[in-house]
Amino acid sequence: MRRFLLLYATERGQAKAIAEEISEKAVAYGFSADLHCISESHKYDLKTETAPLVVVVSTTGNGDLPDTARKFVKAIQDKTLPSDFFAHLWYGLLGLGDSEYTYFCNGGKIIDKRLQELGAQRFYDTGHADDCVGLELVVEPWINGLWAALAKHFLLSRGKEEMNGTLTMASDASRRTDPVTQELLHIESQVGLLSLDDSRRKDAEVLEQNAVNRGQSKTLTADFEPSLTRSIPPLSQASLSIPALPPEYLQVHLEESFGQEQSQAPVTSVDPIFHVPISKAVQLTMNDAIKTTLLIELDISKTDFSYQPGDAFNVICPNSDSEVQHLLQRLQLTDRREHCVVLNIKADTKKKGAALPQHIPEKCSLQFLLTWCLEIRAVPKKAFLRALVDHTGDGAEKRRLQELCSRQGAADYSRFVRDSRACLLDLLLAFPSCRPPLGLLLEHLPKLQPRPYSCASSSLFHPGKLHFIFNIVEFWSDTTVVALRKGVCTGWLATLVESVLQPNTHASRADGEKALAPEISISPRATNFFHLPNDPSVPIIMVGPGTGIAPFIGFLQHREKLQEHHPDGHFGAMWLFFGCRHKDRDYLFRDAPVGEEEAPAKYVQDSIQRHSKQVARVLLQENGHVYVCGDAKNMAKDVNDVLVEIISKEVGVEKLEAMKTLATLKEEKRYLQDIW
């Protein structure tokens, strides 16, 4: 069997899931995938690898490498490596990213570029999948095309080996008729036909689809709008190409517990976890503001947790208790919620390299598992939908799930599942005959991720304390019933501090009436780059509308204390561009040490434009830094565009040259973004 090396670099499990899908599908095409996380350098050696390499790389933050790829990239970026270090290596790379962020697919691009610099050659074009529009739009065709590219590579390699044993005087014409080349030409002509609906393996499934379709087409009409639960022609009458069924691999037993206490420190973590009390909570906005913004102060004085202004940290949060209870009811497991979950790998599983999920602790209760370990709000992937099909009894419901995971139903999947942020509970309510086993949920639901927040204070200004701010996220869900949902973490935090919440006033509680402080778990963030310049004389420009102002409050507090400690020191100017919708409702940090200027500007980029000469001087003449924090989708792009305009206008250069100047600032770490 033709072997290839398959590596993945993942942050939240997406790249791993895609790599596992490639590994599982490989067998059907006559290949064998040697699958490893890119961090497992003891299990593979690219210096001596002779098989083709396939890499799936995600991007985290605003273009950062996943933590799992940092060691690998550091090793290959060694400047002493010769330019032909990987000349023997052939590879194909799939990058995952989100085009709402400035450095789209940057994790994959970094590795791709360096492999090229070291002499590696592509046997297959690089793919860049965009989570903004749906990863599957690129991932699925990229995987489908991979098999032809691999087949072509192995045939060319075999052809070269055979040619090495022949006379070099053989003419091109004679070589064109050799069996290897004939087979290669045939494969190239069939590239577009190599896909999952291979007739040799899918005849039975296609026949089943057509039978279901014939029954459906008699009853379905075009006099209604499509929804999560129903389709209209042409999809409702189409023959479907659906993904292969992912092999089940987890065996789950629920055992009665006998008084074991499960700690509230929820999950496994590579970073240290600190349990800290909330010492203060303040509502920064008025009750009639469009968004409710809270400030929370954590008491870290009894821990060794430390931070710099600009750092971020993780809050470990649970799922909504009501959603967990609804899910237990729907799974008919309410009376077993305190039972211990015991996991084993199925003895007869066809999943290659099946392993127990690392984010599920041993002997935890079912209630704890659904509350602290699984992202039950996650949008189900198509592979999950495909798996649910086989546990759905009603024919119409089964057909609709098949449509939503099919290639023909891609638009409906995007509209009614991904864009609507449908979750597992939505699907189970929408398709009542779907009764998946618990093991299937554990195989497909990702790990419940901690939520990152920017530090909004300086430890010099607030010793032993850590501040952060957030909007309480609210959105309408209308997948099954119209309901107002709150963000997993922000909704939980808002409920947690309800009893100690102070209004947006200068008053604080008297010591005698201080409420009992609730406790939360936090952990440091591995990536720390959004820091003040080491030299305090360097001027800085800060751009942070709304809650994007958080790290800059820490910057201002820090510089203020440094100036107190060093009254004779030289400190650079600090420009802060911030904003709010309504000054009387959501003006955050009204009393912060900021020189205020009344400006009729609508957006922060308009304010920046009004001060274009000063901005250009700080960046281009005074070696200043610019920091942008907040919304990636609109604000960060608009700020980037206005900086290009300012440089172009003030320096008198073409737009392209101004863009190059801005790119240089980014490379020099003088233009930094913390956006989401």
Side-chain angles (χ1 to χ4, degrees):
M1 192 169 281
R2 296 166 293 182
R3 170 188 165 275
F4 64 94
L5 177 61
L6 177 56
L7 303 179
Y8 63 85
T10 195
E11 184 75 15
R12 295 194 166 193
Q14 288 268 39
K16 180 183 180 183
I18 291 168
E20 288 177 340
E21 180 184 348
I22 292 171
S23 177
E24 287 159 8
K25 289 178 176 176
V27 179
Y29 293 97
F31 299 107
S32 172
D34 191 1
L35 175 65
H36 303 292
C37 176
I38 206 166
S39 64
E40 298 174 320
S41 54
H42 59 288
K43 295 183 179 179
Y44 65 90
D45 187 357
L46 294 188
K47 295 193 296 291
T48 58
E49 185 59 72
T50 56
L53 168 68
V54 176
V55 194
V56 184
V57 187
S58 68
T59 298
T60 186
N62 185 39
D64 299 321
L65 286 158
D67 289 343
T68 52
R70 293 185 180 280
K71 184 178 176 183
F72 173 85
V73 170
K74 184 178 180 181
I76 66 173
Q77 285 183 336
D78 182 348
K79 296 189 184 301
T80 64
L81 296 177
S83 60
D84 62 350
F85 188 70
F86 285 143
H88 60 284
L89 200 62
W90 290 83
Y91 75 98
L93 185 142
L94 175 62
L96 313 180
D98 187 328
S99 61
E100 287 189 354
Y101 293 85
T102 307
Y103 302 105
F104 172 60
C105 278
N106 198 47
K109 289 175 180 176
I110 289 171
I111 294 176
D112 198 8
K113 180 183 177 185
R114 188 56 180 155
L115 289 177
Q116 290 276 303
E117 290 173 349
L118 294 175
Q121 302 170 75
R122 297 190 191 98
F123 72 85
Y124 187 36
D125 288 341
T126 297
H128 295 132
D130 186 358
D131 200 31
C132 180
V133 296
L135 293 174
E136 68 280 353
L137 295 180
V138 169
V139 171
E140 290 179 6
W142 193 90
I143 293 176
N144 289 342
L146 175 63
W147 315 120
L150 279 168
K152 179 178 177 179
H153 171 77
F154 278 109
L155 282 167
L156 283 172
S157 299
R158 198 175 90 207
K160 285 177 183 175
E161 289 172 9
E162 291 183 4
M163 284 165 58
N164 286 339
T166 65
L167 293 173
T168 56
M169 294 173 61
S171 68
D172 288 344
S174 65
R175 282 200 296 266
R176 279 193 202 105
T177 60
D178 69 31
V180 171
T181 307
Q182 285 179 345
E183 187 180 353
L184 177 56
L185 290 171
H186 174 70
I187 282 200
E188 287 178 323
S189 71
Q190 298 296 313
V191 164
L193 303 178
L194 278 172
S195 62
L196 275 180
D197 49 354
D198 184 317
S199 60
R200 290 170 298 176
R201 298 181 296 111
K202 293 292 181 180
D203 279 347
E205 191 164 311
V206 170
L207 286 171
E208 179 189 348
Q209 294 301 325
N210 289 339
V212 172
N213 180 58
R214 282 194 297 274
Q216 292 294 318
S217 62
K218 294 176 183 176
T219 56
L220 293 176
T221 61
D223 60 352
F224 51 71
E225 285 293 312
S227 69
L228 176 65
T229 56
R230 66 191 181 197
S231 61
I232 61 173
L235 179 59
S236 62
Q237 298 170 352
S239 294
L240 302 176
S241 301
I242 64 175
L245 180 65
E248 296 183 8
Y249 64 95
L250 286 181
Q251 187 73 50
V252 183
H253 299 283
L254 293 177
E255 297 180 352
E256 282 193 65
S257 59
F258 299 97
Q260 300 106 312
E261 289 292 324
Q262 179 70 53
S263 81
Q264 287 303 301
V267 288
T268 56
S269 172
V270 294
D271 297 310
I273 294 176
F274 299 90
H275 309 290
V276 294
I278 294 173
S279 48
K280 185 167 71 174
V282 181
Q283 181 172 315
L284 298 179
T285 48
M286 297 300 168
N287 290 332
D288 58 351
I290 294 173
K291 294 180 179 178
T292 301
T293 307
L294 304 185
L295 176 146
I296 287 182
E297 178 184 84
L298 303 177
D299 185 349
I300 58 172
S301 59
K302 294 186 172 69
T303 74
D304 59 359
F305 183 94
S306 62
Y307 69 96
Q308 295 182 49
D311 278 350
F313 65 99
N314 288 323
V315 172
I316 298 166
C317 59
N319 287 307
S320 156
D321 184 60
S322 64
E323 289 177 34
V324 170
Q325 301 318 313
H326 286 147
L327 188 55
L328 284 167
Q329 290 169 11
R330 178 60 179 78
L331 296 171
Q332 299 181 341
L333 291 171
T334 302
D335 59 341
R336 304 175 73 185
R337 63 179 180 269
E338 298 303 330
H339 283 43
C340 283
V341 179
V342 180
L343 295 182
N344 292 293
I345 301 296
K346 284 188 173 183
D348 59 347
T349 184
K350 293 188 172 75
K351 182 177 176 65
K352 188 177 178 182
L356 296 176
Q358 293 185 353
H359 55 277
I360 299 178
E362 288 186 25
K363 297 282 186 179
C364 70
S365 71
L366 178 57
Q367 172 98 24
F368 181 87
L369 172 70
L370 295 177
T371 303
W372 290 100
C373 305
L374 300 178
E375 191 89 58
I376 64 174
R377 279 268 190 92
V379 174
K381 304 297 180 192
K382 288 186 178 181
F384 196 2
L385 298 181
R386 173 64 186 89
L388 292 176
V389 168
D390 285 25
H391 298 281
T392 302
D394 180 80
E397 293 178 15
K398 183 187 285 269
R399 163 71 190 196
R400 184 53 176 155
L401 286 170
Q402 288 171 332
E403 289 172 351
L404 290 170
C405 70
S406 71
R407 190 160 64 243
Q408 292 78 7
D412 274 25
Y413 173 82
S414 295
R415 179 178 175 186
F416 300 117
V417 180
R418 187 176 61 82
D419 295 346
S420 298
R421 291 191 274 189
C423 62
L424 172 64
L425 190 56
D426 291 325
L427 291 179
L428 294 180
L429 293 173
F431 302 101
S433 73
C434 182
R435 299 192 178 278
L438 182 59
L440 198 68
L441 274 55
L442 306 192
E443 289 169 3
H444 288 274
L445 286 174
K447 173 186 175 182
L448 177 59
Q449 295 288 341
R451 271 43 177 183
Y453 292 94
S454 296
C455 302
S457 55
S458 163
S459 56
L460 292 181
F461 202 93
H462 294 286
K465 298 292 193 290
L466 169 61
H467 290 185
F468 67 104
I469 65 172
F470 58 90
N471 293 325
I472 301 176
V473 177
E474 293 182 323
F475 61 95
W476 290 100
S477 170
D478 59 356
T479 52
T480 46
V481 292
V482 178
L484 184 65
R485 282 184 177 159
K486 291 187 177 180
V488 172
C489 191
T490 62
W492 170 67
L493 287 171
T495 302
L496 200 62
V497 302
E498 214 165 16
S499 63
V500 297
L501 187 64
Q502 300 174 27
N504 185 17
T505 66
H506 302 299
S508 59
R509 292 177 181 272
D511 289 340
E513 54 179 319
K514 189 172 183 180
L516 182 66
E519 194 174 82
I520 68 172
S521 299
I522 64 172
S523 65
R525 291 272 290 170
T527 310
N528 297 321
F529 64 92
F530 202 74
H531 292 152
L532 282 164
N534 292 328
D535 181 357
S537 69
V538 172
I540 64 172
I541 294 168
M542 302 167 284
V543 184
T547 55
I549 197 175
F552 304 133
I553 295 300
F555 281 16
L556 292 165
Q557 291 175 352
H558 200 73
R559 279 272 176 100
E560 182 180 341
K561 281 297 177 183
L562 286 178
Q563 285 182 276
E564 282 182 20
H565 296 158
H566 306 281
D568 298 327
H570 177 45
F571 292 89
M574 302 180 76
W575 289 77
L576 175 60
F577 294 94
F578 63 102
C580 56
R581 284 183 173 86
H582 305 284
K583 283 190 65 177
D584 56 338
R585 300 180 197 172
D586 55 7
Y587 188 158
L588 308 183
F589 297 100
R590 185 183 296 270
D591 301 316
V594 180
E596 182 183 338
E597 177 190 343
E598 294 292 335
K602 186 175 181 181
Y603 299 111
V604 284
Q605 60 267 27
D606 300 326
S607 293
I608 296 170
Q609 186 81 64
R610 292 181 64 215
H611 298 279
S612 60
K613 289 190 181 299
Q614 295 95 323
V615 168
R617 186 185 68 243
V618 168
L619 294 181
L620 304 178
Q621 297 175 30
E622 299 176 359
N623 205 37
H625 292 211
V626 60
Y627 300 83
V628 181
C629 183
D631 166 48
K633 189 173 183 180
N634 299 307
M635 181 276 297
K637 289 181 178 177
D638 292 339
V639 168
N640 190 85
D641 292 344
V642 83
L643 290 174
V644 169
E645 286 179 28
I646 287 173
I647 293 171
S648 176
K649 174 188 168 188
E650 299 300 331
V651 181
V653 296
E654 294 293 327
K655 184 178 178 182
L656 181 60
E657 194 61 35
M659 291 170 70
K660 289 180 181 176
T661 301
L662 208 55
T664 301
L665 292 181
K666 289 178 180 177
E667 288 177 9
E668 295 174 351
K669 307 296 184 189
R670 290 174 50 211
Y671 178 10
L672 295 168
Q673 295 175 304
D674 183 5
I675 57 179
W676 55 85

